[in-house]
Amino acid sequence: MDPKGKGSPDASGLARVGSTFPDEVMQIVLALLNSHRDRSSVSLVCKNWYDAERFSRTHVFIGNCYSVSPEIVTRRFPNIRKVTLKGKPRFADFNLVPPNWGADIRSWLLVFAARNLCLEELRLKRMTVSDESLKFLSLSFPNFKALSLLHCDGFSTDGLAAIATHCMNLAELDIQENDINDKSGSWLSCFPENFSSLEVLNFANLRNEVNFEALDRLVSRCKSLKVLKVNKNISAEQLKRLLVHAPQLTELGTGTFLQDLTSCQYSELESAFNKCKNLKTLSGLSEVTALHLTPLYPACTNLIFLNLSYSALKDVQLAKLLVRCPCLRRLWVLETVGDKGLEAVGSNCPMLEDLRVFPADTFEDIAHGVTESGFVSVSYGCPRLRYVLYFCQQMTNAAVATIVHNCPNFTHFRLCIMNPCQPDYQTNEPMDKAFCAVVKTCAKLQRLAVSGLLTDVTFESIGRYAKSLKTLSVAFAGSSDWGMQCVLGGCPKLRKLEIRDCPFGNAALLSGFKKYDSLRSLWMSDCKVTMNGCRLLAKERPWLNVEVMKEEGSNESRANKVYVYRSVAGPRRDAPPFVLTL
Amino acid sequence: MEKPVNYGGGDLHLEATELRLGLPGSDGHEKQSSASVKNNKRTSTEAMTEESRSKSNSNVSDGRNGNPDGDPPTKAQVVGWPPIRSYRRNSFQPKKTEIDGAGMYVKVSLDGAPYLRKVDLKVYKSYPDLLKALESMFKLTIGQYSEREGYNGSEYAPTYEDKDGDWMLVGDVPWEKVDLKVYKSYPDLLKALESMFKLTIGQYSEREGYNGSEYAPTYEDKDGDWMLVGDVPWDMFISSCKRLRIMKASEARGLGCL
């Protein structure tokens, strides 16, 4: 589709550039631009470029589904084929957002269909998706190729069955960590017998057993299959059969390795893994013991990403495995590996960039788990570390200072000391010094999650030094409004701010009213903000959506859950009764 | 679409976390609410101990935690803390049950008793089995289960906490659930039943049925009749089968084909 206008002059000096630049060249150049930010910049240059850009845009990323309406999106970008949408605020993952809050994909799909969009890919995060929506999707877009659902809810395996039945060109079905009504495994049997276009299949999320023979045949037919992540019902023996049919896999998620293998099965499994020369990612591995890991070794040589966050491995097992993975760049483990396991990480993974240590049992205090020393060991051995998510029982300021000294390139630093408001266990001081060290040392820091006992001093430092910070998560921290004011007054690149259970009130909330224009969203729950404060903000900034979630029986003047975000679509039209837009 | 042989959610519906033997009266009120029948949940007026609630699921907050000035809340009391997605919580640690290769252990508490016991659910094949074991473990009588009355007439009623955290009467939902669509043929299904219940059913023959075997698989069809599994073509079977029951050979004699 050709852009309208042929270099019509406009007020700026760029008019001359616009008028001598042929449209054809413009289109070719723009087709090479993939980054949303770049495209956004292009569209701001002049009207000509704006039009050229919008017609050539094929992929749109919407970080907050309520910041814009589907009508506006499709009007501006009539040719999009790939859509990525994020819905609920992130704290919905931790049950802080009541059910039926919204972010339903339905209205988007209806508009896409009405505008005859040639939808090929849909990637959703924290959206509500019903079975009807999935069925509608499968019937309305004949070229539909890729569906990715991450942390979504509202659908059942019936919806998946509709997708499998009707999407003739499906290449990707990626169902990850959703709240799904898992009725049965029969959805997998809905793929037609001649269907062979699948490249990505991830159903690790699902609990019910699928028909293995159907799965086996599907895997055999889909010669382009690159990613296969099965669920726990697939045994080691079955996995071996799948691998024999798909040695070209680059990403594999295994089932359960619970049964003991006969020596014949063992060697067959080992030789199957040996043939998987292209394996870069390995996950699943639930309920493995040391014995089950050894057949995997041949496949570990080229591994870049090892996800053991559902395997309760101990340090010795982890160490033996890591020795085989010299190229590892990303490692996710459970705290069961302990500090000793993390020492093994430090010793064996010099290329490591991304480390995540998840807690195992959150209901009881366990004597084991990881402490600050595990993290320090990793930092000595893995200087390239840039992403860390670390759940631990205890931490010290000195340890964090050492860690960032060893690894100054952190872009994502998420530290969760599991007991709220816990001080440095050695000195009993607040953890202020730790996070001050982080923001001062790590100039490239984009994402920060703080924990432990923290005063306003931490937030002063964050405001002053965290020049690249985009996302900040705060819980049970701070001493007064001043803390939040510092953050809002500094952090030039801040996009997302999520706060819970902190002593920040109206003064803090209102101090940032200019800042909120540049934020994607602000979340504040169980702080000291009141309804009046929120009303004032809404009045001051009428183009922001200031939403308060009211709970039954709560204090009328308190605003317990506040969600503020910029939007060109105006207030929500689909808000449930407990969401008040001020 | 899907034809579960028996209703009920979850693979093994008894992903129970705790069995409680309560005094009657706590279960006696449920018949008043007619709405509960649909979803199998009877209202229970029995109060639960606070510790078991708060320990079993830190997602349920016992009280308001929005008190930043006061004492810092402990881990167990706070909604959504530590910040771990419920998918991860649920998938890794089944609440309070240990599923190892050998068994599925569940805590059993008796109202008024000073300590709890543990039973391995996998050892029992049916409700009467389990109830008999509980009766002998706790030296009490639970009596018969009836769909209408529950355990009325008995001094005790066994209840359990399901995946959703609701307290349910033991006996309402089927012991096991099987999804017929997952199987492609009779031998498939029979093999699965054999491994599920740890018994041998053997071969089907048109003349003799399952003669020679200790057990015979039967099913209730759409008309409510009990039929022998294997007589009709597989597709016809899965569309007409409502419930499955594995009868002892002696019982099945009445079907006239053994």
Side-chain angles (χ1 to χ4, degrees), chain B residues 15-89:
Chain B
E15 271 172 282
T17 59
E18 197 164 319
L19 288 173
R20 295 195 66 198
L21 300 175
L23 297 172
S26 54
D27 291 311
H29 292 287
E30 69 264 34
K31 283 306 166 200
Q32 290 171 3
S33 79
S34 50
S36 316
V37 180
K38 259 238 160 96
N39 61 358
N40 280 342
K41 300 201 172 180
R42 308 191 190 213
T43 56
S44 170
T45 56
E46 186 171 37
M48 289 184 323
T49 58
E50 283 308 312
E51 314 103 53
S52 64
R53 259 294 188 175
S54 63
K55 276 219 178 85
S56 70
N57 188 351
S58 69
N59 285 342
V60 177
S61 77
D62 288 336
R64 288 287 82 186
N65 53 291
N67 186 13
D69 306 324
D71 295 329
T74 63
K75 229 162 43 177
Q77 292 170 352
V78 180
V79 177
W81 189 267
I84 302 159
R85 294 195 185 96
S86 51
Y87 175 79
R88 176 169 285 280
R89 280 184 209 262

Side-chain angles (χ1 to χ4, degrees), chain B residues 146-173:
Chain B
S146 86
E147 205 175 314
R148 290 193 83 230
E149 314 264 331
Y151 295 91
N152 239 359
S154 151
E155 214 191 324
Y156 289 94
T159 58
Y160 69 98
E161 186 182 8
D162 73 1
K163 280 193 300 189
D164 303 326
D166 297 313
W167 286 90
M168 317 280 287
L169 188 70
V170 168
D172 282 340
V173 297

Side-chain angles (χ1 to χ4, degrees), chain A residues 317-474:
Chain A
Q317 299 157 331
L318 178 66
K320 283 198 186 149
L321 187 53
L322 288 181
V323 165
R324 319 274 165 171
C325 310
C327 304
L328 212 57
R329 289 203 233 133
R330 193 185 280 192
L331 177 64
W332 298 5
V333 290
L334 281 177
E335 61 182 352
T336 51
V337 302
D339 287 335
K340 276 210 164 314
L342 293 179
E343 277 172 33
V345 174
S347 312
N348 291 301
C349 308
M351 309 290 285
L352 199 66
E353 295 172 5
D354 181 333
L355 173 70
R356 303 189 202 189
V357 181
F358 293 92
D361 186 338
T362 54
F363 305 127
E364 291 146 32
D365 282 312
I366 32 179
H368 48 281
V370 294
T371 70
E372 77 282 5
S373 77
F375 198 169
V376 170
S377 320
V378 174
S379 73
Y380 277 115
C382 311
R384 296 184 185 211
L385 215 51
R386 42 161 208 86
Y387 193 123
V388 82
L389 170 63
Y390 199 80
F391 284 85
C392 57
Q393 304 284 347
Q394 65 190 40
M395 188 52 63
T396 67
N397 287 312
V400 176
T402 307
I403 288 160
V404 294
H405 175 76
N406 294 338
C407 304
N409 295 318
F410 276 118
T411 55
H412 297 66
F413 192 91
R414 303 165 63 188
L415 178 61
C416 181
I417 303 167
M418 306 234 279
N419 259 325
C421 307
Q422 184 168 299
D424 176 324
Y425 80 96
Q426 277 177 354
T427 64
N428 245 352
E429 287 175 346
M431 293 297 296
D432 293 331
K433 290 197 181 118
F435 292 103
C436 293
V438 172
V439 294
K440 277 188 195 162
T441 318
C442 305
K444 301 182 212 163
L445 195 68
Q446 292 176 26
R447 182 170 180 183
L448 179 64
V450 298
S451 60
L453 180 67
L454 297 173
T455 70
D456 287 342
V457 169
T458 295
F459 300 103
E460 279 176 21
S461 286
I462 293 176
R464 192 185 305 164
Y465 295 109
K467 301 277 183 226
S468 308
L469 194 66
K470 292 190 193 161
T471 304
L472 178 62
S473 309
V474 186

Side-chain angles (χ1 to χ4, degrees), chain A residues 93-96 126 151 158 161 177-178 183-186 204-205 207-209 211 217 232 309-310 312 334 358-365 391 393 416-421 475-476 500-503 526 528 551, chain B residues 1-2 10-11 15 54-59 64-69 72-76 78-93 95-96 99-101 163 177 179 181-184 188:
Chain A
D93 286 349
F94 316 126
N95 298 332
L96 289 182
R126 288 190 205 100
H151 310 317
D158 290 348
E177 303 201 355
N178 300 290
K183 293 180 177 175
S184 93
S186 55
N205 191 176
R207 298 236 172 102
N208 277 314
E209 204 175 321
N211 183 315
R217 287 195 300 273
K232 285 190 184 181
S309 63
Y310 291 99
L334 281 177
F358 293 92
D361 186 338
T362 54
F363 305 127
E364 291 146 32
D365 282 312
F391 284 85
Q393 304 284 347
C416 181
I417 303 167
M418 306 234 279
N419 259 325
C421 307
F476 304 103
R500 62 166 293 181
D501 295 276
C502 295
D526 293 297
K528 287 179 157 181
E551 284 161 1
Chain B
M1 222 197 105
E2 173 234 353
D11 301 349
E15 271 172 282
S54 63
K55 276 219 178 85
S56 70
N57 188 351
S58 69
N59 285 342
R64 288 287 82 186
N65 53 291
N67 186 13
D69 306 324
T74 63
K75 229 162 43 177
V78 180
V79 177
W81 189 267
I84 302 159
R85 294 195 185 96
S86 51
Y87 175 79
R88 176 169 285 280
R89 280 184 209 262
N90 295 339
S91 67
F92 182 66
Q93 273 290 358
K95 295 187 294 191
K96 289 156 115 184
I99 300 182
D100 54 53
K163 280 193 300 189
K177 181 181 95 150
D179 176 11
K181 273 242 171 125
V182 164
Y183 307 103
K184 288 251 146 162
D188 257 6

Side-chain angles (χ1 to χ4, degrees), chain B residues 12 15 26 45 55 62 82 123 134 157 171 175 179 187 199 203 213 224:
Chain B
L12 190 63
E15 271 172 282
S26 54
T45 56
K55 276 219 178 85
D62 288 336
V123 160
L134 291 177
W175 187 258
D179 176 11
L199 42 76
Q203 291 276 53
S213 156

